[in-house]
Amino acid sequence: MKPTCLNQKELAERWTISHRTLERWRWAGEGPAYMKIGGRVVYRIADIEAFERYVMNTTSDQGAPT
């Protein structure tokens, strides 16, 4: 069965970043949407993939000539 959510540690491993970066993004209101369930932070796969698409589009647009 395919997981529908990742916890903070799993997402940090997926993106090879520190879990502290995810904590900072949440505090700053940046990064992917998340849910807090019973004190645990989880990220839905759909929200992760949407954020990845957004970042990919944003970063590729920055290098485009105007």
Side-chain angles (χ1 to χ4, degrees):
M1 184 179 193
K2 196 173 180 182
T4 57
C5 294
L6 298 180
N7 65 29
Q8 177 175 290
K9 183 180 176 186
E10 292 166 335
L11 181 55
E13 288 175 7
R14 174 181 174 129
W15 288 346
T16 61
I17 61 173
S18 168
H19 71 280
R20 295 283 193 186
T21 299
L22 293 170
E23 290 173 1
R24 188 177 73 248
W25 287 355
R26 285 196 309 272
W27 180 83
E30 302 171 356
Y34 65 93
M35 300 182 294
K36 247 187 162 175
I37 301 174
R40 285 188 46 201
V41 173
V42 293
Y43 298 87
R44 294 184 317 166
I45 296 293
D47 293 330
I48 294 167
E49 291 172 345
F51 182 76
E52 290 169 341
R53 282 190 301 277
Y54 170 77
V55 172
M56 185 182 308
N57 290 336
T58 303
T59 55
S60 62
D61 289 348
Q62 289 176 355
T66 55

